[in-house]
Amino acid sequence: YEDNNNNVWFGTAHGIRIWDRNSGSITNLPSPFDRQTVQVKVIQQNGRKNLWAGSRDGLYNYEMETNVWNKVPVENDLDIQIEQLSKSENGEVWVGTRQNGLYTLKNDTLIAFSGNNQLSDIRIRSIYNDNEGVLWVGLNGGGLHRIELNPNRISSKSITKYTPENGLLGSVIHIIMEDDYGRIWMSSNQGIFWVPKQQLNDVASGALNRIHPIIYQIEDGLPGNEANGGAQTPGITSRDGAFWFAMLSGITRIHPKKVNDLTFSFPSVIESVSNKDSMWTPGSANIRIPKRDRSIRISYTAFNYSVKPEDIRFSYKLGGTDDEWIYAGAERSVTFTNLKAGMYTFALRAGMGNIWDNSNISSIQITVEPHLHERRSFQLAILGSFLGAIISLVTWARWKKKMELEKHEIELQKLEILKTKRDTFLEELNRHVEEILGDSNADTKMMADRLLISERQLQRKLKEYTGLTPAKYLREMRLLRAKYIFENNPEFNISEVAYSLGFHKPSYFTKVFKTRFNVHPKELRETKNS
């Protein structure tokens, strides 16, 4: 904290120090913290001549003229440890604690937020109270929460949670700041990033299901990806409007004014169409796929030099099979298998986040040549023969009962064939999945590549045969293997099993295991040990 005399006040693990920049001297401020080792995490102005000091011993008010300290009482006389303090322009004060969630100051008493039990984590890392009265809270492991408060300003109307699962960069949010351009800036252990505030609000309203942050990391000039925090404050705004972020390996300065809004133009380019033996470029006069090979791969790209290539997203549709746009993410190729004969129009568009550049859609026409039985003349001939056969069958009424029995037999044979196909597919899939259970990078693409089919075909078959997506099927196989290990080798610990089966975090593995089998892995091991 910098006072009116240009003195700088520091909170330390042994109270408060004051640095007189005129004389260069450093003195100790007599305080309630001098008699013990107490970390001071917050020093913030409270009125013109008062200060707040937040510490591991609670929140204090210091009257600078009289040198009097007063501890701010807490409802129910709880002992809380202060990590953050945020005061909005309307005077509302919110306090973040180390292990007790959020508190607000009412009538000179700290009152607990009634929704603390709804937070993903009660270790508060950062607080920002915006001009609309929305409370943004960064957690020490639970991501970012957007809290819309009720009129009493102590209970929540709604809480929206942003985590890595729906686009957040990291789960530890050190600082939250808003610029003049409608962007929310944050720092985490994975880097510094910003998200359009409207995008965050759209997730809260249900209009979007994820956010798409703009990320800055070492390759963009940061001294390291990991930011730092845990005290007031790991980020400040300087007089020139620049944002300063505390990093584990130094300090980063970013001026929001110089972060231009993106020129929203993403011209998409279809680079090639290929199959087993041939390749065509979009400039080809006729892209005709021979009847002998109905599987094709289309490669594409898009350009916008204001963003990183990996941040560009694609969607496509193949006229004749897809009526809606198919989201392709950052993938730059798509494979279609077993196409029927006919003419197709492949359309491609690019964009960023959930916004698409519909003014730069590219497309190509592809013709798949027909086999004899797919030709119209042949089909008409077959149809005529079929009609003749029907007339004959009607005439031969005495064979009706026999034909019904034969039809029933044929249906049974079809069901048996379908069952055999399903069993054969799942048997082959399980064999490949067994080989990649321990690979933490295993995903739908890896499974599909091993089966020599497209991701789309894998998803369709798994959905038909099991009702599961590839990701859920892989997780189910891992969990079943873990259960078998604990039942037969209880000497293995939970972390060993989790990492050996491709889980990044033992805590997440434990959570999904308990949800799946309604028993904690530790309890299962202990049961088998006994």
Side-chain angles (χ1 to χ4, degrees):
Y1 166 73
E2 182 181 11
D3 65 22
N4 293 330
N5 296 320
N6 294 326
N7 298 318
V8 180
W9 301 46
F10 294 94
T12 76
H14 298 275
I16 296 175
R17 307 281 192 268
I18 301 177
W19 172 35
D20 185 335
R21 286 192 287 183
N22 295 321
S23 65
S25 63
I26 297 178
T27 58
N28 295 331
L29 175 69
S31 69
F33 317 119
D34 294 341
R35 298 182 300 277
Q36 52 185 320
T37 303
V38 175
Q39 289 184 321
V40 176
K41 293 284 191 172
V42 175
I43 301 176
Q44 192 173 130
Q45 191 167 359
N46 171 21
R48 192 167 62 88
K49 296 182 179 180
N50 293 340
L51 289 180
W52 274 307
S55 72
R56 292 289 168 84
D57 188 42
L59 180 65
Y60 285 80
N61 184 61
Y62 175 59
E63 297 178 6
M64 300 174 70
E65 287 188 340
T66 60
N67 297 323
V68 173
W69 291 89
N70 293 299
K71 188 172 184 179
V72 178
V74 182
E75 67 170 348
N76 301 327
D77 296 324
L78 288 178
D79 291 327
I80 61 175
Q81 301 179 356
I82 309 300
E83 291 279 316
Q84 295 287 329
L85 187 148
S86 173
K87 181 180 179 182
S88 63
E89 293 182 358
N90 64 7
E92 188 173 76
V93 175
W94 284 90
V95 170
T97 69
R98 186 186 182 202
Q99 295 176 329
N100 298 93
L102 286 167
Y103 281 74
T104 187
L105 190 64
K106 288 187 178 295
N107 300 322
D108 297 323
T109 301
L110 287 173
I111 308 297
F113 170 54
S114 66
N116 276 331
N117 60 349
Q118 301 174 46
L119 304 180
S120 299
D121 198 309
I122 56 174
R123 299 172 299 167
I124 308 302
R125 200 72 169 177
S126 52
I127 304 172
Y128 170 60
N129 197 345
D130 69 18
N131 291 332
E132 289 80 35
V134 174
L135 198 63
W136 302 84
V137 180
L139 305 175
N140 190 13
L144 172 71
H145 285 10
R146 178 190 185 275
I147 302 176
E148 192 170 343
L149 296 166
N150 284 315
N152 63 11
R153 305 299 291 175
I154 193 63
S155 62
S156 63
K157 183 186 302 182
S158 66
I159 298 179
T160 304
K161 300 177 181 181
Y162 308 86
T163 66
E165 283 68 32
N166 61 358
L168 194 71
L169 182 69
S171 57
V172 178
I173 302 301
H174 299 297
I175 187 67
I176 307 166
M177 296 191 288
E178 183 174 3
D179 65 19
D180 295 329
Y181 308 95
R183 301 176 291 213
I184 299 291
W185 292 74
M186 288 168 272
S187 66
S188 73
N189 289 343
Q190 283 69 43
I192 294 172
F193 61 100
W194 61 264
V195 186
K197 189 175 182 179
Q198 185 58 50
Q199 197 175 108
L200 292 162
N201 290 337
D202 286 345
V203 170
S205 68
L208 294 178
N209 57 16
R210 66 182 293 111
I211 59 174
H212 301 274
I214 304 301
I215 299 167
Y216 302 94
Q217 294 180 317
I218 291 177
E219 60 267 27
D220 302 299
L222 269 62
N225 286 344
E226 186 172 353
N228 211 339
Q232 187 97 10
T233 177
I236 62 171
T237 304
S238 57
R239 290 187 179 94
D240 65 352
F243 287 167
W244 294 73
F245 297 93
M247 309 295 293
L248 194 64
S249 303
I251 298 175
T252 292
R253 176 185 181 274
I254 302 177
H255 203 305
K257 185 177 181 181
K258 297 183 180 180
V259 179
N260 298 322
D261 287 335
L262 299 176
T263 301
F264 199 83
S265 176
F266 292 84
S268 59
V269 177
I270 299 171
E271 297 177 306
S272 65
V273 179
S274 60
N275 66 2
K276 184 179 179 181
D277 301 316
S278 305
M279 177 179 288
W280 299 265
T281 62
S284 304
N286 258 328
I287 298 181
R288 301 186 67 86
I289 308 302
K291 58 188 177 184
R292 65 180 179 274
D293 191 351
R294 300 295 183 84
S295 297
I296 62 172
R297 182 185 183 91
I298 302 178
S299 299
Y300 48 79
T301 189
F303 301 95
N304 185 311
Y305 298 108
S306 299
V307 302
K308 299 176 185 177
E310 59 267 26
D311 289 338
I312 299 177
R313 298 292 181 264
F314 299 90
S315 62
Y316 64 84
K317 59 182 176 180
L318 186 65
T321 62
D322 303 318
D323 295 327
E324 303 292 335
W325 288 98
I326 306 299
Y327 180 72
E331 293 294 326
R332 294 178 179 249
S333 66
V334 61
T335 299
F336 298 97
T337 59
N338 300 322
L339 290 172
K340 295 180 180 179
M343 182 178 290
Y344 299 87
T345 299
F346 177 81
L348 175 74
R349 65 181 182 180
M352 192 168 183
N354 66 313
I355 306 174
W356 302 101
D357 182 3
N358 291 313
S359 63
N360 283 299
I361 295 175
S362 58
S363 63
I364 54 171
Q365 284 195 336
I366 301 170
T367 301
V368 178
E369 296 181 343
H371 291 285
L372 175 63
H373 64 272
E374 294 173 312
R375 296 183 182 275
R376 183 67 175 170
S377 58
F378 182 84
Q379 291 172 347
L380 289 174
I382 292 297
L383 179 60
S385 300
F386 178 74
L387 291 174
I390 292 295
I391 294 172
S392 298
L393 286 173
V394 171
T395 304
W396 297 340
R398 62 192 179 93
W399 292 100
K400 181 178 180 181
K401 186 174 182 179
K402 179 181 177 181
M403 294 304 296
E404 288 177 348
L405 291 174
E406 289 180 356
K407 181 180 179 181
H408 179 66
E409 183 67 25
I410 291 171
E411 292 299 326
L412 291 177
Q413 290 175 3
K414 287 182 178 179
L415 289 174
E416 187 63 28
I417 291 171
L418 288 175
K419 182 176 182 299
T420 301
K421 286 183 177 180
R422 181 196 65 192
D423 293 343
T424 301
F425 173 78
L426 292 178
E427 181 180 353
E428 183 180 6
L429 174 63
N430 290 342
R431 177 169 59 82
H432 288 295
V433 169
E434 285 287 335
E435 296 173 0
I436 62 174
L437 283 180
D439 190 343
S440 61
N441 294 317
D443 57 7
T444 302
K445 186 177 185 303
M446 184 181 292
M447 294 165 66
D449 289 345
R450 282 175 166 265
L451 289 169
L452 302 179
I453 63 176
S454 69
E455 294 180 50
R456 187 176 179 190
Q457 190 176 11
L458 173 62
Q459 291 171 344
R460 180 180 60 77
K461 285 191 173 185
L462 262 183
K463 192 70 175 178
E464 178 183 351
Y465 293 155
T466 68
L468 299 175
T469 64
K472 289 184 178 179
Y473 189 86
L474 179 60
R475 186 178 70 178
E476 176 69 7
M477 294 291 288
R478 285 171 166 163
L479 292 174
L480 289 172
R481 173 57 61 84
K483 185 172 182 289
Y484 176 84
I485 293 173
F486 289 137
E487 289 176 340
N488 295 276
N489 302 94
E491 67 274 8
F492 286 96
N493 65 48
I494 295 173
S495 294
E496 288 176 332
V497 174
Y499 290 128
S500 71
L501 292 176
F503 287 90
H504 291 287
K505 294 183 179 180
S507 59
Y508 173 72
F509 163 73
T510 301
K511 177 181 177 182
V512 296
F513 187 95
K514 185 175 180 181
T515 300
R516 174 63 178 84
F517 300 112
N518 200 28
V519 62
H520 195 285
K522 183 177 180 181
E523 296 174 357
L524 185 60
R525 291 175 62 244
E526 291 173 350
T527 301
K528 295 301 177 180
N529 272 322
S530 62

